[in-house]
Amino acid sequence: MAGHFEATPGGGAAVALDEVEIAILRSLAVQLLELIGPGDEPEEGADPLAALFAEGPSEPPADPALARLFPEAYGDEDSELRAASAEFRRFTENDLRARKRTDALAVVRTLDALTIAGNGGAVLELTGDECRNWLGALNDLRLTIGTRLEVSDQDEGEADSLYRLPDSDPRKPMVMAYLWLGGLQETLVETLMP
C-alpha cells in the first residue's frame, strides 16, 4: 500500500503516507485553496433561490493556473463564442469554485484527522465520497502545477524533458510533486473502477 491507493470494503480507498508526504499534500491543498480564493458566504436570512442565480465573473482569470482550472467553455476565436463563454462563466464559475474549495478542504480535513504512528506515518482511509473529493483535488493540483511548469497536453517532448531535470534545477521539486500526485491520482482511479 505504500505510495499508492488500494481499494477498501465499501467503496473507499486507503494509502500509507509518511509525515513528509502528509505535510506536502496538506501544504499543496492549502495553497490551492489560497489560489482559488474564498467563497461568497450567503448573508444570514438571504434567499437561497437568489443565491442559485447569483452571477459570477464573465472574464477569464488572468492567472494562467486559474485559467486552466476555470477554462473558457467555447474558446475565443470569434466574438460570438467569446460572448457565449462569458455568459456560461457568469452562471457556472461560482459553483465550480465552490466544488473545488470543497474538494481541497476535504483533503486538508482528512489529513488533519490522521493520527501519526510511532513509525512516523499513518494510513489514510477514505470513504467513497472522500475519494471523489480527493480525485477532484488531485486533478486540480496537477493542473495547477503542470501550468506553472508549462506542461501542455500537446507537447509531450517538453514534458519528457521535465522528467529528466538535473537535481540542481529549481523546478525539480515541483516536477517530483507533479509525478507523485499523478501516481496517487492514477491508483485512486483504479480503486474506484468496477
Side-chain angles (χ1 to χ4, degrees):
M1 180 184 324
H4 63 274
F5 279 97
E6 293 183 4
T8 59
V15 63
L17 300 169
D18 64 31
E19 283 182 276
V20 173
E21 292 168 329
I22 293 166
I24 291 170
L25 282 167
R26 189 180 191 292
S27 175
L28 290 172
V30 167
Q31 290 176 55
L32 181 62
L33 285 165
E34 290 169 356
L35 178 68
I36 293 169
D40 294 330
E41 295 297 319
E43 294 178 22
E44 185 80 25
D47 179 9
L49 190 56
L52 285 175
F53 296 103
E55 293 184 14
S58 60
E59 294 296 318
D63 182 320
L66 282 174
R68 184 75 168 110
L69 292 175
F70 305 104
E72 288 293 307
Y74 304 108
D76 59 0
E77 289 81 39
D78 64 41
S79 61
E80 233 176 82
L81 290 177
R82 277 195 301 274
S85 284
E87 189 75 2
F88 184 80
R89 181 179 299 282
R90 264 186 37 214
F91 294 109
T92 61
E93 188 169 313
N94 287 343
D95 287 341
L96 186 55
R97 281 182 185 269
R99 196 203 82 227
K100 290 179 181 301
R101 273 191 295 278
T102 298
D103 291 345
L105 277 171
V107 169
V108 171
R109 288 181 178 136
T110 54
L111 292 172
D112 285 351
L114 288 175
T115 303
I116 306 297
N119 64 356
V123 174
L124 174 69
E125 294 185 24
L126 302 174
T127 65
D129 287 339
E130 290 169 335
C131 287
R132 285 181 282 287
N133 292 132
W134 268 73
L135 275 177
L138 288 171
N139 185 62
D140 290 344
L141 287 168
R142 284 185 37 92
L143 286 173
T144 301
I145 293 170
T147 301
R148 296 288 190 236
L149 292 170
E150 298 178 351
V151 174
S152 69
D153 296 334
Q154 291 81 22
D155 192 3
E156 289 184 28
E158 183 180 322
D160 287 342
S161 68
L162 283 176
Y163 302 146
R164 294 181 190 80
L165 287 176
D167 290 343
S168 60
D169 192 301
R171 298 172 295 169
K172 184 73 172 204
M174 290 310 294
V175 169
M176 298 306 294
Y178 180 77
L179 295 172
W180 176 57
L181 292 170
L184 286 175
Q185 184 181 22
E186 183 178 343
T187 60
L188 185 52
V189 166
E190 288 171 0
T191 67
L192 299 176
M193 302 286 282

